Amino acid sequence: MAQVVSTRLEQMQNSEKSIEQAIIDYKRLGYSDAWINQRIKSIEISKELTDEWVRTGVQTGLQYASLTDIITREWSGMTTKQYKSFKGMKNESLRDNMTNMEIAVNMLAKISATELSKQRNPNGFYQQKQVAKDGGSVAKAARTQLEPKLGYGVITQAKASDYLPNINGNDD
């Protein structure tokens, strides 16, 4: 137990170790290298967005959750809770269960919100709400342009884990 605590404290002090541990964990779960790379990039983009929220006076917790919900609702048409329900999830991480396409659109929404925030320099949560909506709408426009060309929707009930090889070796 002490070793686990010591390792976790070391990871908290060195973000590279946290990323390395996340990669190890995702590989152990059977995720592909391509999905892992995209997921790690999405974590970086989310961190840049929350750093921007801190800079503009947004408070952690409920305000972060609300802004994330606005971004998600804008690009996907669903709140985070509705999206999780659509995928048949309860307590799992939504982002850990997104397909590559969903992660890409979510990243576009978040990076758009980050850059718009830097440009507009909003003050606090209430001004960030419009930035979040605008960032999400950029990704929605991309998604709605792409879907007819693909012939299918980007948002799907499929989870990234649906594409994992059966780790236990059973085919049932």
Side-chain angles (χ1 to χ4, degrees), residues 77-130:
M78 294 179 269
T79 64
T80 305
K81 185 176 181 179
Q82 290 168 331
Y83 203 156
K84 287 175 85 166
S85 177
F86 175 73
K87 285 189 169 283
M89 299 167 50
K90 295 213 183 315
N91 298 322
E92 305 93 334
S93 162
L94 177 58
R95 288 183 299 168
D96 279 353
N97 284 282
M98 287 182 169
T99 63
N100 284 341
M101 290 292 291
E102 289 169 311
I103 290 173
V105 175
N106 191 48
M107 286 191 308
L108 177 59
K110 289 184 173 188
I111 204 161
S112 297
T114 302
E115 293 305 312
L116 288 169
S117 179
K118 289 176 183 176
Q119 181 187 63
R120 295 177 185 173
N121 200 27
N123 186 16
F125 172 71
Y126 293 101
Q127 290 181 14
Q128 275 291 5
K129 286 171 72 173
Q130 185 60 51

Side-chain angles (χ1 to χ4, degrees), residues 3 14 16-18 33 38 52 71 78 98-99 103 105 118 130 134 137 147 160 165-167:
Q3 178 60 42
N14 182 346
E16 243 178 75
K17 288 208 180 275
S18 291
D33 287 342
Q38 193 165 11
E52 180 62 13
I71 291 170
M78 294 179 269
M98 287 182 169
T99 63
I103 290 173
V105 175
K118 289 176 183 176
Q130 185 60 51
D134 291 346
S137 72
E147 288 175 334
N166 190 337
I167 295 172

